[in-house]
Amino acid sequence: MRTIFMLIAFFIESNLCMAQPAIQVEKQTFVNVGKAGYFWQDSLGTTKFEAVEQFKTLRFTKGKSAIFNGGTRGKVWWMKLRFSRNALTQPYLFIDYASIDSISLFYRDKFGVVKQIRSDMFGVQQNDAVLGTGYVFPLQQVKGPVGEIYLRARTMNTLLLPVKLVTEPVLNHALIRVYSIQFIYLGIVLMILIFHVFMFIITRSKLFSLYIARIILLYFIAMACYLQGYGLLLGHYVAEFIFLHAYVFIALGYICTILFNNHFLKIKRQLPQLHKIFNLLIVGWASVIFCSLWDVRTFTNALTQILFLLTSILFLFSSIKLIVIRGYAKKNPLIWCYALGWIPVALVSIYLVFSLMELIPFQSYSFNLLTFSGIIEGILISLGLFGQRLRLLARHNAHFRKQRSLLQEQMEGYRKQLYQKAIVPIEPFSLKALTELAHAKDPSFMKRFRETESVFIHAHLEISPQLLPAELELCAYIRLNFDTKEIARTCKLSVRAVESRKYRIRKKLGIDGETNMHIWMLGLSNRPK
């Protein structure tokens, strides 16, 4: 009985393949028609259209998903589509993916003549119709009422064919809507980029510079200019350069992201074993750069998918381990956003890698998932970085408050010491002790003399405020009954210089030449205080 059912199913499937139902263009909306197409792999890459046209239906494989995934081996694939339309309908074939090495459309016109329209990233011709981030092929001249068209496509990276058969009104309306949304996405990412540039200018933090590099390399160059084809808007040569070196930009973007994650979470100190794994991933991404420049495309594609998956999962694991489990963000809940930001990235990376490996079908919304996850990640990571800056600011403020309180305590201590010194009476030196200080040439002699003989000093300054410090010092020696030779020996002056100073002091104090200076000054020191 099982055998009979299998034979019946095989017979029905064979009839459906032989029939190859046509797509009704009038009823077609802006959706991919990959499941309605039939595909054949040209292993040699040299088969002509006339030969493919004569193939039997069984040589083709029916599409299994809305977007055809031709793999990463750089093989040539043929796609066959049948469609029907009325005489007033103007059908168009739209391929919403610009990152294709070469793509050619073959069909027979109303007179049975073979027509070819070729379009690619390496030589735009006059008959090519390139619109925004995809390719548009008019099908008005295809032989009807049921027409057959063949697409020949090849890419050095990953061959994805999101093909749509639509009428002109549907195409115009859908493109305006789709491209408007895409520009909104670009505007959001641009605002995130401006925020990080502003924060970098203010803080000069390495974190913001590394995340700026991630946004530019992975979103604007890899996603917008490469995957979505906006590099064509920057000029053909720029688009070609980005297309040829796409994996170089992706690898550099993930190297910057690994350094960013390590610096933010202090991976080297907190998780030293995981830090070694991240270093190995950096080596792996550096190998992607080398292989891409060396043009080893098959190995580069496979290695990129593996590293893309591992890196995204490890980002999520490290952030959850430190922020959630170890409580890195207990005092600032905004840092939780950092861990949440890697969740959509990890989930989308798992889905995309499994889709590219053909473990699950590649759906129409797969391209948008990558864009959505990038925007959500950018917003949440920005909040996490802002929370981290708030945490550091709060820590610095607490440190400054503590230092200020310590400084105030020290100032109070110094004030108390000064007050205690002020109220402690100064014990005066005896004339004998002052004489010994003078003979010893002690630097503190004049300070001690001023403290002990304050009345003497004030009396001299009241008589002659013009007395110089050196002259006051000479008066102190005279007060201690030093003769001229002793003063000269103590001050390291000549006898004549000492006599000249004595003469000037006599003039300033009004002492005549017959009066003994020692006796005169002794009289000043005995005045009441």
Side-chain angles (χ1 to χ4, degrees), residues 460-473:
H460 281 71
L461 290 176
E462 286 179 1
I463 297 172
S464 178
Q466 295 83 15
L467 285 173
L468 300 176
E471 294 171 343
L472 284 174
E473 185 178 0

Side-chain angles (χ1 to χ4, degrees), residues 379-450:
I379 295 173
L380 293 176
I381 294 296
S382 299
L383 291 174
L385 281 174
F386 185 68
Q388 191 246 17
R389 298 310 300 180
L390 290 178
R391 180 173 178 268
L392 291 178
L393 185 60
R395 182 186 298 176
H396 289 320
N397 289 339
H399 176 71
F400 290 147
R401 285 195 297 269
K402 184 177 180 181
Q403 292 296 324
R404 194 164 115 191
S405 63
L406 290 175
L407 183 60
Q408 289 178 347
E409 290 178 1
Q410 290 179 355
M411 292 295 294
E412 290 296 329
Y414 292 148
R415 286 174 186 167
K416 290 181 180 179
Q417 292 178 5
L418 291 174
Y419 179 73
Q420 290 174 356
K421 288 183 179 180
I423 62 176
V424 174
I426 300 174
E427 296 182 2
F429 273 46
S430 63
L431 292 179
K432 182 179 179 181
L434 290 175
T435 303
E436 291 176 356
L437 288 177
H439 283 300
K441 302 176 183 179
D442 194 308
S444 64
F445 165 70
M446 277 306 296
K447 179 181 178 183
R448 298 300 184 185
F449 187 87
R450 286 174 181 272

